[in-house]
């Protein structure tokens, strides 16, 4: 964050969504997580993100709350799980999840009054769009669409 701010760029942090631990533990051994389960780790990390945003006076897009409304199980979950034909993933988002993430970030951009010419999405597999069928379904592609439509 400090390096980005030093370049006179604007920053928005985004909270991490909850995961479906049952699916996650089908792919990764529970023991690898020690005494702190994945969703507890996510809450700790999100708390650090919130503290950093407050300390640095930068916006925080609360995607955790958005995703939590849809739950980590059931066909409406934004996570790739068996109930929505997403397999035993439990971490990565569905196409609808990536769209909701983009909406959350676009809403935060509008709320704080940013008018970006360019947006750099830094992240990991959620930024890359694991599980979607086309690059147009990733959250960076969806975000671009939302930001371009708000200019019109």
């Amino acid at each position: 964050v400090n390096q980005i701010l030093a370049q006179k760029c604007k920053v928005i942090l985004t909270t991490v969504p909850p995961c479906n631990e049952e699916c996650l533990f089908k792919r990764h051994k529970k023991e690898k997580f020690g005494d702190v389960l994945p969703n507890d780790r996510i809450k700790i990390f999100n708390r650090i993100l919130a503290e950093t945003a407050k300390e640095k006076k930068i916006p925080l897009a609360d995607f955790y709350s958005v995703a939590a409304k849809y739950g980590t199980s059931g066909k409406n979950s934004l996570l790739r799980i068996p109930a929505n034909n997403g397999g035993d993933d439990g971490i990565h988002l569905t196409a609808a999840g990536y769209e909701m993430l983009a909406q959350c970030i676009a809403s935060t951009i509008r709320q704080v009054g940013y008018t970006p010419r360019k947006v750099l999405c830094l992240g990991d597999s959620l930024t890359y769009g694991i599980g979607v069928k086309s690059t147009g379904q990733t959250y960076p592609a969806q975000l671009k669409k939302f930001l371009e439509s708000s200019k019109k």
Side-chain angles (χ1 to χ4, degrees):
V1 169
N2 288 335
Q3 289 176 341
I4 295 168
L5 291 172
Q7 299 302 312
K8 307 288 186 230
C9 296
K10 297 197 183 318
V11 175
I12 294 178
L13 296 177
T14 307
T15 56
V16 177
C19 70
N20 179 304
E21 291 177 344
E22 183 181 337
C23 289
L24 177 65
F25 293 145
K26 289 179 182 176
R27 299 184 304 118
H28 300 282
K29 292 182 181 184
K30 187 175 182 178
E31 302 80 47
K32 297 264 185 184
F33 294 92
D35 293 339
V36 185
L37 293 173
N39 277 315
D40 294 330
R41 288 175 188 269
I42 288 169
K43 287 177 185 173
I44 292 166
F45 186 68
N46 284 341
R47 199 168 27 253
I48 293 167
L49 286 169
E51 290 167 4
T52 302
K54 185 175 182 180
E55 175 190 325
K56 303 291 181 187
K57 296 179 173 70
I58 55 178
L60 178 70
D62 186 9
F63 185 62
Y64 180 93
S65 294
V66 172
K69 288 178 191 173
Y70 292 88
T72 59
S73 61
K75 65 179 177 135
N76 293 324
S77 176
L78 300 179
L79 302 173
R80 295 178 58 225
I81 57 173
N84 59 23
N85 297 317
D88 285 327
D89 186 301
I91 293 178
H92 298 99
L93 302 174
T94 61
Y98 287 118
E99 183 175 2
M100 293 299 290
L101 175 57
Q103 284 179 354
C104 178
I105 296 169
S107 174
T108 303
I109 288 171
R110 285 188 216 101
Q111 233 174 3
V112 298
Y114 289 170
T115 54
R117 289 178 307 190
K118 292 182 180 181
V119 175
L120 174 63
C121 300
L122 296 176
D124 55 12
S125 55
L126 291 186
T127 306
Y128 177 74
I130 295 291
V132 292
K133 293 180 178 150
S134 77
T135 57
Q137 292 179 312
T138 65
Y139 98 78
Q142 296 287 337
L143 178 60
K144 181 179 179 183
K145 180 181 79 175
F146 289 131
L147 293 177
E148 286 175 350
S149 71
S150 68
K151 288 180 185 178
K152 297 175 184 174

